[in-house]
Each structure stands twice: as C-alpha cells, then as structure tokens.
Amino acid sequence: MWKYSILAFFIKSFLVTSIFAQKFTSDELRRRYQKADDLYNLDDANEQTDSLAIIYFDQVIDHIDTSSIENQLILWNAYIKSGVIQQYNANQRSAINHYRDAIQTVVKFNLADSMKLKPMLYTGMLYYEQENIDSSIYYLRKAELIAGTYNNVSDESQLFNTLGAIYFKLGNYSQSINYFRKAIRVMPTNSSYSESIIATCQSNIATALNKLGEYDSAISIYKPLIKQGYHSEDNYMNLGVSYFEKGDLDSALIYFHKITQPSIELYNNLADSYIQIGQIEKGLTNIEKALKLSKEGVNKKLLKAVSYNLKGEAYEKLQRYDDALRNYQRALMEAVLEFRDTSIFSNPTNKLLTTSNYQLFNFLVSKSEAFDKVYRKTGDREMLKGAMDTYEAAIKVSDFIAKYFDNDDARIFHNRIVLPTYQKAVGFVIYAFNQTKNQLLLEKALAWAEKSKANTLWISLKEEGLKLKKHLPDSLTKEESKLKYRLSQFTLKLITAQSEEEVESITNDMINTELALASVRDKFHDYQDYYDQKFSFDILDVKKLQKEVLLDDEALISYFEIDDKILLFLVKRNYLTFHEIDRSSAFKDSLNYYLKALRTISIGKSYDGRETARFLYQQLIGPVADKIKGINSLIFIPHQELNNLSFESLMSSGNKYLIETYDVRYQYAASFLPESEEIEIQLDQSISIAPFVKKSSVMQLDSVDEIKKQHMFSTLPESANEIDALSGIKLLGNNASKKEFLKILGDYKVLHLATHAYANDELPGQSFISFFPDAAEETDFKLFVHELSAIDLSGLELVFLSACETNAGKNVTGEGIMSISRAFTNAGCKNIITSLWKAEDYVTSFLSKKFYQYLEEGHSPAKALQLSKIELLRDKSYSQFRSPNYWAHLIYIGNIREAENSYWWWYIPVGIVTILLLLRIRKLMN
C-alpha cells in the first residue's frame, strides 16, 4: 500500500502539472472516462494502470457537467469503479467515500433506486472486512430491500452470499444457510465464474452445517468439491475442522497437513489439534507461527485473538495458570478493539461487545475456567472473584447473542450449546458456597441456573411485551404478523405437497419469507427504547423473589442437573437452601421405570409404581420434606430428565401422594413468576371444543398405520360431559371445526379443548390438535404448533388442554419440552392445564367437571385441580382409577395463586363471636 501511494503521488503530480488550468470539454471528459474504463477492465492491471485510472476517474468526477442523464450515469460509474480500484488496493476509507458518493448521486439526480444496490453492497462488504458488522448490516439490509423490489438486479448472489457470511459470523447458522441457498438460486449457471461462486456458497453451507453439529452432512459436501477442483486448500481446511469437531483428531491432522499455503487459521487449527492430543509443545510451536503471520496481516485481530486463546489453553494444560490467564486476557484485548485493560481481573462490558460474540464468549469461558481451577487449588478469594466476574461476563455475552438472533430455532440451538457453561458456572459457585458459606453465592447459583432454562421462550415473550409497551409503528408489527402467517401457510402447504418440484417451490417461498421476517424484526432495533429494554440483562433477583413474589404459604422447588448430580433448590419467603441428589444408575433406572409405569394403562395389568414413587419422593422431595411442613402450595421447576415427571404423584413414607398435602403448579423457570397474579377467571366467557363426541364417518384414512398412530377419529364419548360444567359457547361434533374455532377464538377468556392431539418428537412444529375432520386435506382439520406462532392468545386467561400428550414432545437440552402447551404459552397464554401422557376419557371428564366447580367457588387453578384429584381418590365409585397413571397426567402450568380472601366468609362468624366474647368480658369486669 505504501509503494502504491508513492507511485500514485508522482503520477498524479505529473499529470496535474501538465494539465494545470486546462478547462475540460464534455467530449474530452467522456474520452478520459473511456480511458479510465479501459484501464479498469485490463486483464493484467497493475499499480501503475490503477493509478492512472483513478486519476482519470477523479477528473471526470470533479469536472463533468451533470445536466444530462448520460453524464449523471457516467459520474455514478466513475464513483463505483474508482471505489473498486481503491478497495482492491486496500485504500478502504477512500473506497467507502466513493461508494457513498455514488449513493448520493442516485439520490441527487433521482436515478433508479436499483442503482443504489451495488454501492450499498460494496460498502457493506467493506465494513464486513473491517469487522464493523453493525455498519455492514445497515448497508446490506438496504441493498436487500432494493433486491426485493426489482427483478434480476446485478450482484444479487454476491449480496446474499455476504449476508450469509454475516449471519454465520453472528452465530445464526440456520439463517446463514438460507442466504447461501438463495445466493445459489439467483446465480446464473452459464459461466465457469458462476460455477466457482456456487461452489463457494456450497462450501459455506457445509461450514454452517459444521457449526450446527451436522458434520457428516458437511463432509459430504466438501469432498465432492475437492474432487471437482474447487477451493481445494480451503476445503481441506474445512474437512480438517469437521473431523476435529467429530473428535477424529488423526483425520483432522491428515487434512490440515494437505494444505500447502501457510495461514494463521491453518496454524491455529494445527495447534488446537496438537493441544487436544496432548502434544503441547507442537501446539505452542504452531501458535507462534500463527502470531508471526498475524503481525504481517491486515484485519487479522480475531484470528490473532484465537491464537492467544489457544496459547492460554496450552499453558493451562501445563498448569501454568498465570501464563494462561495473561494469554486469555490478551485474546479478549484482540477481540474487542476498545478494550485495552491488561489486568486479568477486568472483562469487556456489554457496551464494548463486538459482533464476533461467539468467539468472545469462548474466550471468557476459557478464562473463567482457569480462574475456577486456581481457586479450587489455592482457595484464594481474589481468584474466586475473578471466576465469578468472568463467568458472569460470559453469561451476559451469551444473553446478548440469544437476543440478537431473529428466530427461535437459532436461539434454541444457541442455548443448547451454552448450557454446559451454565452448568460449570453453577457447579463452581456451589463449590465456593460449600467452602465459604456465603449466602450470596447460593443466590447467584440459583439465579444462573434459572437463567439457563427456557431462555428462548422468555426472550420471545419479552419481545412481544415490549412491542406493546414501546409503541412500535403499527405498520411494522402488522408486517411481522403478516409474514408469520404467510410462513405458517407455506409450512402447511409443504405437508400436502405432491411432487419434488412443488416441495422445492414451497421451500424457496419459505426461505424468502423467513429472510423477509428477519429483515422486519431487525427494523425493531431502530427504536432505541425497544432496543435498550430488549438487550438489558435480565436475571432472577432472588431476594425480590422471596420478598415480593412468594407468599408465606408457598415454596419453590427448582432442580438443576450437573453431570452426575441434580441440585435441589428450596426457596421460601425467608429461607433458601440447596441439596445435591446423586444421579446414580439406580436413580436413573428408577426414574425411567416410573415414567413408563405412569404412562402404562392396560386392562388386566395393575399399576406397579408405588415402591418407585416412594423412592423418588425420598430422593427428590425427602431432603427438604421437613422444611415444607406448614406450606400449602408448591411450585416446581424441573430440569432436563425431570421435565416429564408428575411430582404430585410421588408418595411419602406415609403412603400419601404429594397432591394430598399440597396444591402444585409448574413453571418453565423462576423468571416466569410474576410479582402478583390473583385474577378472577371469567368462566362465563368460555369456548369449549369437543369434536369426537361420537364416531365420525365423514372421512376414512388410507393408511391403517396412520390411524393406529394418531387415533384421529376415535370417539371420546365423555368429552361432552367433560365440558358440561362450563357455561359459554360449546362446539360439539361437526360444529367443532378448525375454521369455526379460529374465527371466534379471540372473543373468549377461557378455552377448553376436549379432543385428540399428537406430539411429534422429531419435528415439534408438526405436533397438532385435531378438530372435526370436515375436509379432505388434513391441514384443514389439524391445528399445528407452527400455526400458533401466528396467533395472539394473550387475551386468554386459562386454557385447558385435556387432549392426550399436550405437554409431551421433544425434550430439548436447556429449553425443556417442545410441547403443544409450550406453544400456547409462546402465543401469549400464561395459564394452562395440560396432559403429560395419554389420558383415560372417563377420569378426565370427572376431573374436568370438578375442576370447574372448584374454580366457580373462587379457588385458584392449582387448588381446584388438587381438590378434584383428592375427590377422585376418595370417591368409592372411582376406586379402580386411584392409581396415578389415571389422574396424574393433568398438571397446571401458570401463576394464578389462591386468593388470600378465598375464605373471607369465615371472618363473619369469627368476628361476631369475637365481639360477643369481648362484650361478655367487659361486662364481667364491670
């Protein structure tokens, strides 16, 4: 660059002197533009020809008469092409200025908007190269809007490929794949250049698949590309990374050693591989090679940061912790430009976050784990503080990443990836608490544990709440709703697609809609109040939970799984403790056996889970049994394998079910508990659905397996009785259609669904609730989970999902069950009665009727459900249904608590008696 600048200076000085005071005619300027253009298009361009081209372009820019459209177009081209040359020669600031001038030319002379695409794309790409991602996204988003307005605009494929690269950098790998695929679709296929770009996009897709953990799929893309001769060196690197992530380090090293061109990335990958197999010295040697190359490169700070982080890992393996921590700190300084603090006890704040946040998160985790090890070894309180602060910094970065994503799939994937860090952090704090008995550490452990649970659901509900409070434009929120609905409709069409061509067409429409939806959601961030509130770091305030949320007669029991332990946290108004439960093979076997026993209802086979229920009670409740005496209400927050458990079915040593002593409610995390939730449910404003009160003969399925699997048309004879106690609208039989339900849903406060449901463990979005089968297409009588994402249910006070398995589904690490009931919560309904397994129609009808009767008396849903179950257990005519596999399937997820004045009428006679006694005493004393 220095040589180029000097050469350009002398050439320009000579030419400027020779034409000093010369007045250019219009024809002369056009000739100079043509000369510049010829130099620009040379196949063997060099520094000298580039310098001359820039000078000629600048003369055109400075002197051309812009009164004609033809000259305006010449001016625009001069800015663009001069910027390209400047960009090629690493004069980035000048290039950006030229591209911006090209944009202003379009605006000034009211040229076609499509002419903004190229300079905006190039500006966005330049900012991306500089790792200024926010500015890059700003220009690329504007370019994307233009591309969506005009057909067949140039550079579309380059735009989508760059957007894919940005989303990849942000960690939103699924969305990056969408963009890479879109880039391939709009790429002309009639040139070798196009084929090369397509190969690049395919390689990028494979790299994103790598990040999603789909290593074999990635490898199946890389290998053919190498055989075809495309980007062999890069794809050797990519293959090496794939095998490294799979844990096949020998294969990884084989591919890394096939690479002939030295690079920082190569040396970092070699170093990482050697460190993992214990060859630390070889690892350090490659790190030094990477650091030497990084001194010679431009914009290589992030790769340099990776080198320092690897150096820290190497020293940590050698137990040289001081050296490890210094190198981790250096990695943070390289990753965050504004962060220059060399103290190992200092971390970047959220205000300094870069958009390379995944790397920053990994660097903070590495550093916190080093502090962790030193504290466990030395007991040094300074190391304890260092570990706490750095774990917290990593958690804040993780929170920022999750909130930056624009779709739930990316957030769910992210939360699954970061759960091990939460587990390490919580495990460390528990260790420190055991050493110090500092109660603040126990509060921190609980707060971090709860932060990790159902975070995707929490963010989604927070966003929806902010959209209402922060007065975003109706046009934006309506556009989002429209796109969500359109995406849901495309998903429905995909289910019934008949050909590969139709599937491909619908898939393309879905990708375009997903990208448009992401673009709209990104615009919400332009509103500062919304942005600030959304990205504020929200974490459980344990003291506030105790003093302002929990009542005197309530206790929260939360579980958190760490390796071979389950942590049990008990929280009461003035009390907090924890216990460790051993996840022994006996415990896991008992839990699996019990879950199966609960879900097994068969004629002639008696329930045999009582002994296991007592064992699990002692394990999961026993450690705090004496601390919850006198409590009336329990709130359970399960984790991981406990998500499928009905806690109220567990039995104490006195052979009493838990439900006989406590009313029980469940929540996804303690963060979901509000300060107050005492509402009177408006049962008179209810809608109840019972499509299968009698056998349907409207439709027949061709597949017997389908009928067996889904039981979509089996009669539910008790479903009419189930909703008998409810006033309001009732849709029975063929009146209970999906179309009618969706038409009138928004007018009611209570919804009861007495129907069939199916939980799809593999594809949670394809789980559904059945309505009356009044149409040929299954999408017309099944309400799929993905459709609920486009429906606002925030007006519902209570939903009763008595259909089978509405709380069953895929158990996703860190998130919980991807169930139908969770989808209702995500759609805005805060209070849900749901089922954990297939229900017995007769018993469900009994419980449902009793439930509504107790609600009418003023009880909370949890208390009403408890009293209904107790009544079933004591009713002699239902003695054959007393085992919990008949009644424990129904659970309450929500926050409505028993009103403190539920029994206000007792105060009247008590008050009268008290007054009479006082009068009597006074009379006697006189």
Side-chain angles (χ1 to χ4, degrees):
M1 184 176 172
W2 179 81
K3 289 182 180 179
Y4 163 74
S5 300
I6 295 296
L7 178 63
F9 172 78
F10 281 115
I11 292 174
K12 187 169 185 176
S13 297
F14 171 76
L15 289 176
V16 168
T17 302
S18 66
I19 60 174
F20 182 76
Q22 179 179 348
K23 185 177 176 72
F24 295 108
T25 66
S26 183
D27 288 342
E28 176 61 27
L29 284 170
R30 288 183 186 180
R31 282 194 293 272
R32 288 182 180 272
Y33 172 76
Q34 190 58 55
K35 287 181 181 179
D37 196 42
D38 291 340
L39 292 167
Y40 174 85
N41 289 305
L42 284 174
D43 291 335
D44 56 349
N46 54 45
E47 290 181 6
Q48 183 176 353
T49 60
D50 283 349
S51 298
L52 286 170
I54 287 174
I55 292 165
Y56 288 136
F57 280 135
D58 284 350
Q59 289 171 1
V60 172
I61 289 167
D62 292 340
H63 298 286
I64 196 165
D65 177 9
T66 56
S67 59
S68 69
I69 292 179
E70 184 180 2
N71 284 356
Q72 292 165 8
L73 295 175
I74 288 175
L75 176 62
W76 180 84
N77 273 292
Y79 278 130
I80 294 290
K81 292 176 180 179
S82 181
V84 170
I85 295 173
Q86 301 277 14
Q87 182 176 352
Y88 179 79
N89 287 285
N91 195 351
Q92 296 173 337
R93 181 175 296 178
S94 179
I96 288 174
N97 289 336
H98 278 73
Y99 296 145
R100 285 176 173 171
D101 287 337
I103 296 168
Q104 288 306 311
T105 300
V106 176
V107 175
K108 181 178 179 181
F109 298 112
N110 199 27
L111 301 176
D113 270 355
S114 59
M115 294 175 65
K116 293 179 185 176
L117 187 143
K118 189 185 293 284
M120 285 177 172
L121 167 61
Y122 292 176
T123 304
M125 290 172 66
L126 263 174
Y127 278 124
Y128 174 75
E129 289 176 13
Q130 295 175 357
E131 297 185 5
N132 186 344
I133 304 300
D134 290 335
S135 294
S136 179
I137 289 174
Y138 173 81
Y139 281 99
L140 292 173
R141 280 289 191 205
K142 287 184 174 294
E144 186 180 19
L145 286 173
I146 295 169
T149 305
Y150 296 89
N151 293 324
N152 301 318
V153 293
S154 61
D155 299 303
E156 261 193 310
S157 60
Q158 198 168 9
L159 167 65
F160 297 136
N161 190 46
T162 307
L163 281 165
I166 284 181
Y167 273 98
F168 180 89
K169 198 175 188 72
L170 294 172
N172 194 341
Y173 305 118
S174 297
Q175 198 74 301
S176 74
I177 290 173
N178 284 339
Y179 274 111
F180 292 139
R181 286 175 175 163
K182 192 167 184 178
I184 291 173
R185 284 204 310 277
V186 300
M187 173 66 66
T189 57
N190 54 1
S191 70
S192 58
Y193 173 77
S194 296
E195 291 175 3
S196 177
I197 298 298
I198 289 172
T200 299
C201 291
Q202 289 173 334
S203 179
N204 290 341
I205 289 171
T207 304
L209 290 170
N210 248 347
K211 292 293 186 180
L212 290 170
E214 298 180 30
Y215 308 120
D216 292 332
S217 297
I219 290 168
S220 70
I221 295 175
Y222 291 136
K223 286 186 175 180
L225 289 175
I226 291 174
K227 287 182 179 179
Q228 294 164 23
Y230 290 117
H231 317 296
S232 297
E233 294 269 294
D234 290 340
N235 286 320
Y236 282 141
M237 183 85 76
N238 293 329
L239 274 170
V241 171
S242 295
Y243 282 110
F244 177 88
E245 296 295 342
K246 280 186 70 174
D248 186 351
L249 300 179
D250 291 335
S251 295
L253 284 168
I254 288 171
Y255 281 104
F256 290 146
H257 283 301
K258 286 178 179 286
I259 300 168
T260 58
Q261 183 64 39
S263 68
I264 304 171
E265 187 179 10
L266 171 61
Y267 290 132
N268 281 343
N269 284 330
L270 284 167
D272 203 356
S273 300
Y274 283 125
I275 291 169
Q276 296 306 316
I277 62 177
Q279 297 185 27
I280 308 300
E281 292 304 322
K282 280 189 176 182
L284 287 168
T285 299
N286 279 282
I287 290 169
E288 292 308 319
K289 290 179 180 178
L291 289 171
K292 183 178 179 181
L293 275 184
S294 67
K295 294 176 183 177
E296 303 166 4
V298 179
N299 296 326
K300 301 296 184 184
K301 292 185 73 64
L302 189 56
L303 288 173
K304 190 175 182 180
V306 173
S307 300
Y308 279 115
N309 193 68
L310 286 169
K311 196 171 184 180
E313 288 183 18
Y315 284 131
E316 192 175 331
K317 295 270 188 183
L318 296 171
Q319 298 187 25
R320 292 169 55 178
Y321 296 113
D322 289 344
D323 290 331
L325 286 165
R326 279 194 292 271
N327 278 281
Y328 290 141
Q329 192 68 12
R330 185 64 186 272
L332 293 173
M333 292 166 63
E334 295 292 341
V336 184
L337 296 178
E338 298 86 352
F339 181 64
R340 308 310 308 156
D341 197 329
T342 58
S343 169
I344 60 172
F345 298 102
S346 176
N347 296 300
T349 65
N350 268 31
K351 293 180 180 178
L352 299 178
L353 288 184
T354 71
T355 38
S356 303
N357 290 319
Y358 257 118
Q359 292 285 22
L360 179 59
F361 172 77
N362 290 330
F363 300 156
L364 287 165
V365 170
S366 296
K367 180 182 168 185
S368 58
E369 290 176 0
F371 273 127
D372 183 328
K373 289 176 182 176
V374 177
Y375 174 70
R376 290 176 190 263
K377 187 175 181 179
T378 66
D380 187 330
R381 293 297 180 92
E382 197 172 24
M383 295 293 112
L384 168 59
K385 186 177 186 307
M388 293 286 294
D389 289 346
T390 312
Y391 272 127
E392 179 104 335
I395 288 170
K396 286 181 177 179
V397 172
S398 171
D399 184 59
F400 184 89
I401 293 170
K403 288 173 179 174
Y404 203 89
F405 290 151
D406 51 38
N407 64 82
D408 283 354
D409 287 343
R411 287 171 178 163
I412 289 170
F413 174 77
H414 167 75
N415 292 332
R416 178 166 64 83
I417 294 298
V418 301
L419 178 62
T421 296
Y422 278 101
Q423 291 171 318
K424 289 175 184 175
V426 172
F428 170 76
V429 179
I430 290 296
Y431 173 85
F433 170 77
N434 286 332
Q435 303 304 307
T436 65
K437 303 306 177 186
N438 183 338
Q439 195 73 4
L440 291 176
L441 291 174
L442 190 55
E443 291 177 15
K444 182 67 74 174
L446 175 60
W448 285 353
E450 296 306 304
K451 179 68 178 172
S452 73
K453 298 176 183 176
N455 198 37
T456 296
L457 182 59
W458 170 260
I459 294 171
S460 179
L461 293 175
K462 181 179 182 180
E463 286 175 337
E464 292 305 313
L466 288 174
K467 287 171 194 173
L468 296 175
K469 292 179 183 177
K470 300 306 171 185
H471 307 295
L472 296 175
D474 284 345
S475 57
L476 268 184
T477 53
K478 286 179 180 177
E479 180 66 14
E480 183 194 33
S481 297
K482 183 176 75 174
L483 289 168
K484 285 163 66 176
Y485 177 77
R486 186 185 301 169
L487 186 60
S488 176
Q489 293 305 299
F490 284 136
T491 308
L492 288 177
K493 288 181 180 179
L494 199 61
I495 294 171
T496 56
Q498 299 296 315
S499 65
E500 290 185 12
E501 291 78 9
E502 191 178 359
V503 168
E504 183 178 359
S505 175
I506 295 170
T507 302
N508 290 340
D509 288 335
M510 288 178 67
I511 290 173
N512 289 335
T513 306
E514 286 175 359
L515 297 179
L517 185 58
S519 179
V520 169
R521 286 171 172 166
D522 190 58
K523 290 177 185 176
F524 292 146
H525 296 168
D526 294 338
Y527 297 86
Q528 195 63 46
D529 198 21
Y530 173 86
Y531 181 91
D532 291 341
Q533 289 294 313
K534 174 181 173 178
F535 286 98
S536 62
F537 181 61
D538 34 39
I539 195 165
L540 179 68
D541 184 331
V542 177
K543 283 189 168 58
K544 186 175 181 180
L545 170 71
Q546 291 178 287
K547 301 301 180 185
E548 300 180 23
V549 178
L550 294 176
L551 300 179
D552 289 332
D553 68 339
E554 293 179 328
L556 169 70
I557 298 178
S558 179
Y559 300 91
F560 189 69
E561 183 180 306
I562 303 178
D563 298 327
D564 59 348
K565 301 286 184 185
I566 296 175
L567 299 180
L568 183 165
F569 292 95
L570 172 66
V571 190
K572 297 195 295 186
R573 195 154 201 170
N574 296 298
Y575 187 75
L576 170 65
T577 190
F578 90 100
H579 291 270
E580 290 186 356
I581 302 167
D582 187 9
R583 286 183 67 243
S584 63
S585 57
F587 174 85
K588 287 185 278 191
D589 289 345
S590 295
L591 180 61
N592 290 332
Y593 179 84
Y594 186 62
L595 292 176
K596 185 177 180 181
L598 285 175
R599 285 156 175 76
T600 301
I601 298 178
S602 57
I603 298 173
K605 184 176 181 181
S606 61
Y607 168 74
D608 61 351
R610 288 181 179 80
E611 184 178 344
T612 312
R614 284 190 285 270
F615 171 77
L616 290 173
Y617 181 96
Q618 291 305 316
Q619 295 292 305
L620 295 169
I621 309 294
V624 295
D626 60 330
K627 302 295 190 302
I628 57 175
K629 288 178 179 177
I631 292 292
N632 293 319
S633 301
L634 294 179
I635 307 164
F636 283 102
I637 301 177
H639 192 232
Q640 301 290 83
E641 60 193 356
L642 297 179
N643 279 313
N644 289 306
L645 179 62
S646 172
F647 284 87
E648 54 229 71
S649 68
L650 301 181
M651 298 186 75
S652 66
S653 55
N655 288 332
K656 286 182 70 176
Y657 293 112
L658 187 80
I659 196 66
E660 295 181 81
T661 309
Y662 308 97
D663 67 70
V664 175
R665 53 193 165 113
Y666 298 77
Q667 255 308 349
Y668 302 99
S671 313
F672 288 76
L673 296 171
E675 292 180 26
S676 178
E677 194 81 8
E678 292 183 7
I679 65 173
E680 183 179 346
I681 296 173
Q682 302 174 65
L683 292 175
D684 58 327
Q685 298 183 42
S686 67
I687 176 173
S688 10
I689 312 291
F692 302 105
V693 290
K694 58 183 179 180
K695 188 173 182 180
S696 169
S697 59
V698 176
M699 289 186 61
Q700 295 296 324
L701 288 181
D702 294 332
S703 169
V704 174
D705 290 336
E706 180 84 359
I707 296 173
K708 278 185 172 181
K709 181 181 180 184
Q710 299 173 7
H711 306 285
M712 284 192 298
F713 303 109
S714 61
T715 307
L716 296 172
E718 288 295 322
S719 58
N721 294 329
E722 187 176 315
I723 58 179
D724 186 56
L726 265 176
S727 55
I729 297 295
K730 293 182 174 68
L731 301 180
L732 306 178
N734 58 2
N735 292 318
S737 68
K738 176 180 175 182
K739 182 179 179 181
E740 184 66 19
F741 166 74
L742 292 176
K743 185 170 71 176
I744 66 175
L745 175 61
D747 300 329
Y748 298 91
K749 297 296 183 182
V750 176
L751 168 64
H752 188 109
L753 288 166
T755 181
H756 291 294
Y758 172 65
N760 190 322
D761 291 351
E762 296 303 316
L763 297 170
Q766 300 302 322
S767 299
F768 63 83
I769 293 170
S770 290
F771 288 82
F772 186 80
D774 59 350
E777 294 290 351
E778 60 177 312
T779 54
D780 292 330
F781 60 86
K782 294 178 182 178
L783 180 67
F784 290 90
V785 159
H786 63 77
E787 292 181 84
L788 290 171
S789 65
I791 301 175
D792 179 12
L793 298 179
S794 57
L796 286 173
E797 296 170 350
L798 176 68
V799 173
F800 196 127
L801 302 173
S802 77
C804 301
E805 300 183 312
T806 50
N807 202 57
K810 187 175 184 179
N811 196 353
V812 175
T813 302
E815 278 297 321
I817 305 294
M818 297 293 106
S819 63
I820 294 170
S821 57
R822 176 182 163 122
F824 272 88
T825 302
N826 199 31
C829 185
K830 297 179 181 178
N831 301 287
I832 301 173
I833 304 290
T834 186
S835 59
L836 290 168
W837 57 84
K838 293 184 188 301
E840 210 289 328
D841 191 30
Y842 190 54
V843 176
T844 301
S845 174
F846 176 94
L847 292 173
S848 174
K849 288 197 293 186
K850 295 296 181 181
F851 171 78
Y852 288 118
Q853 288 173 14
Y854 285 118
L855 276 187
E856 286 278 13
E857 293 176 10
H859 291 290
S860 69
K863 176 61 71 174
L865 194 58
Q866 178 200 23
L867 294 173
S868 302
K869 291 178 178 180
I870 290 174
E871 191 165 340
L872 175 78
L873 291 170
R874 295 174 181 174
D875 192 321
K876 293 181 180 179
S877 62
Y878 281 81
S879 58
Q880 71 269 39
F881 299 119
R882 287 176 181 171
S883 61
N885 46 5
Y886 287 105
W887 54 261
H889 63 292
L890 290 177
I891 63 170
Y892 168 56
I893 303 172
N895 296 319
I896 300 175
R897 59 188 14 143
E898 190 78 353
E900 292 181 315
N901 62 349
S902 292
Y903 306 102
W904 59 270
W905 48 272
W906 279 102
Y907 293 116
I908 295 174
V910 171
I912 292 172
V913 171
T914 302
I915 292 169
L916 291 174
L917 283 172
L918 288 172
L919 290 173
R920 177 68 175 164
I921 292 169
R922 184 176 179 180
K923 184 176 180 180
L924 290 172
M925 291 179 68
N926 290 334

